[in-house]
Amino acid sequence: MWWGTLGTIRPFPGFSPEVDACDIQTALDKKANAFPTDVGALVGILTNRNNAQRQKVAEAFHQVSQKDLSPALKKTLSGPLEELMLALMMTPAQFDAHRLRQAMEGMGTDEEGLLEVLCSRTGPQLKDTMVSYKQAFGRYLEKDLESETSKDFTKLVLALVMKEERNPKGLIDYHLIGEDVKALAAATTGKKTDTTPWIQILTSRDLDHLNRVFQRLHILKGETIEKMVQNNFSGDLKLGLRILVQCIQNTPLYLAQRLHGSMKKSNIVRGIMVGRSEDDLLCVRREFKKLANTSLYSTIEKEFKGDLQKALLALCRSEDL
């Protein structure tokens, strides 16, 4: 990412991976010499470099120490701070792959955890995530999604992970908009809703096209797209379509709502703060302030303590007055 994007983390000026690697090694070596690890130094470096720079730091660290950086951090840190620092050392695709795996591990599936990643990422981003998932876990993401979900919800998550926009980008296809409106409206007019057009259309069009479809559908049916989803679907599919619609309309608002409702859950906060830090976290901050009537920065300051708080505040970057 470059200056001028909507992320909070930018390339660090005067960046030297060799200097950073040596400083990190010094901070980590303190524990080996019976001194407390300089956690503040680790946080200060890794939260002030963008992802591409952190990957170069990891390469330089291996050259100077003959060790991999992530295992060295894991050996030294613990708890939520360890998880945050390890997340920062992953590429974006690796991090999303780990979040998806985490949502499917153990007893029960975290459906919203899956949907947050699948609905808020583009088709090309998800293709990279599928590759990283196979490399990290030796498993196919599509197969795991299929085994962890059921019925129409399975169809939705598989369509999301394989999503590909089929309408010409940058062109307004009024004929296709009209056809999509008719198809979505017709699917909800019978005794039983036909889920196929909803899944197919909402996962294969660009955002501008879909928002035009939603506007015309509202006029035709006399109710919002959110109300249509609420009234015509149930279970996990309703949850999935609701989150998908929210992300189509305003992804930062959906993420702000998720943060606001989950501030006690460090894994969700970590996921959004790391995952959106070079993408649109400034927009998430703006939506959070409007939603909560207080800033994301102040909320993190209140809810977290110690080095974890410092790391999250560094990712958030600044107060919104």
Side-chain angles (χ1 to χ4, degrees):
M1 290 292 184
W2 301 94
W3 284 97
T5 68
L6 297 172
T8 55
I9 300 299
R10 314 290 174 83
F12 186 76
F15 171 62
S16 170
E18 293 76 20
V19 170
D20 285 348
C22 290
D23 288 345
I24 288 172
Q25 186 179 31
T26 300
L28 292 172
D29 283 348
K30 288 194 173 186
K31 187 172 183 179
N33 296 317
F35 292 101
T37 301
D38 189 352
V39 176
L42 297 176
V43 170
I45 294 168
L46 296 179
T47 59
N48 282 285
R49 310 294 183 269
N50 71 357
N51 193 273
Q53 291 176 330
R54 290 193 293 268
Q55 302 311 315
K56 289 179 181 177
V57 170
E59 291 171 12
F61 183 84
H62 189 269
Q63 289 174 354
V64 300
S65 69
Q66 302 305 305
K67 296 177 183 177
D68 289 332
L69 180 51
S70 288
L73 292 169
K74 189 175 178 66
K75 186 176 178 181
T76 304
L77 304 172
S78 62
L81 180 63
E82 173 202 327
E83 292 168 346
L84 177 59
M85 293 294 103
L86 292 177
L88 288 171
M89 294 313 305
M90 297 179 197
T91 66
Q94 288 169 344
F95 184 52
D96 281 350
H98 276 76
R99 292 190 72 201
L100 290 169
R101 184 73 199 130
Q102 206 170 41
M104 292 185 278
E105 280 181 323
M107 292 185 64
T109 299
D110 176 7
E111 286 83 6
E112 186 154 5
L114 290 177
L115 291 163
E116 182 203 312
V117 175
L118 297 178
C119 293
S120 68
R121 295 303 192 191
T122 65
Q125 287 172 327
L126 289 171
K127 283 182 173 57
D128 289 342
T129 298
M130 289 168 71
V131 173
S132 291
Y133 191 93
K134 181 68 167 64
Q135 290 172 340
F137 307 111
R139 308 163 68 100
Y140 290 99
L141 177 57
E142 313 95 292
K143 295 286 186 186
D144 282 352
L145 289 170
E146 201 168 0
S147 67
E148 292 292 329
T149 58
S150 61
K151 300 178 181 177
D152 286 326
F153 187 59
T154 302
K155 295 176 186 175
L156 176 63
V157 294
L158 291 178
L160 284 167
V161 82
M162 301 299 293
K163 63 185 166 188
E164 196 169 318
E165 293 169 4
R166 294 173 194 165
N167 59 305
K169 202 164 186 67
L171 296 176
I172 303 173
D173 188 336
Y174 290 104
H175 176 73
L176 185 59
I177 290 170
E179 291 298 308
D180 286 348
V181 170
K182 286 178 189 174
L184 294 177
T188 60
T189 54
K191 288 185 178 180
K192 186 179 179 183
T193 300
D194 181 1
T195 61
T196 301
W198 281 77
I199 293 171
Q200 190 269 322
I201 291 170
L202 267 61
T203 59
S204 64
R205 309 285 192 262
D206 72 26
L207 302 186
D208 180 64
H209 177 97
L210 287 170
N211 279 302
R212 290 172 187 272
V213 169
F214 294 166
Q215 289 165 9
R216 287 179 58 173
L217 198 56
H218 186 182
I219 294 168
L220 179 67
K221 298 289 285 187
E223 57 183 5
T224 64
I225 187 73
E226 294 88 350
K227 200 73 175 171
M228 290 187 71
V229 169
Q230 179 67 30
N231 292 340
N232 292 284
F233 299 93
S234 60
D236 290 339
L237 181 61
K238 178 164 76 173
L239 174 68
L241 289 175
R242 178 176 62 78
I243 292 173
L244 179 55
V245 164
Q246 285 181 285
C247 287
I248 289 166
Q249 294 177 323
N250 188 340
T251 297
L253 175 57
Y254 164 68
L255 295 171
Q257 290 170 338
R258 185 149 163 79
L259 278 172
H260 188 245
S262 309
M263 197 52 70
K264 300 288 185 186
K265 299 176 181 177
S266 63
N267 63 317
I268 294 176
V269 176
R270 176 180 67 248
I272 295 173
M273 298 300 291
V274 173
R276 313 306 295 200
S277 61
E278 292 181 52
D279 191 355
D280 57 0
L281 193 53
L282 288 173
C283 299
V284 176
R285 274 173 34 184
R286 181 191 64 209
E287 296 293 350
F288 190 94
K289 179 75 184 287
K290 289 193 288 186
L291 177 72
N293 203 29
T294 187
S295 71
L296 180 57
Y297 193 94
S298 293
T299 305
I300 289 170
E301 216 168 19
K302 179 182 175 184
E303 295 291 341
F304 296 92
K305 290 181 171 54
D307 291 310
L308 178 61
Q309 181 204 67
K310 290 176 187 174
L312 290 171
L313 290 176
L315 293 176
C316 188
R317 225 48 180 179
S318 63
E319 184 67 88
D320 293 302
L321 301 175

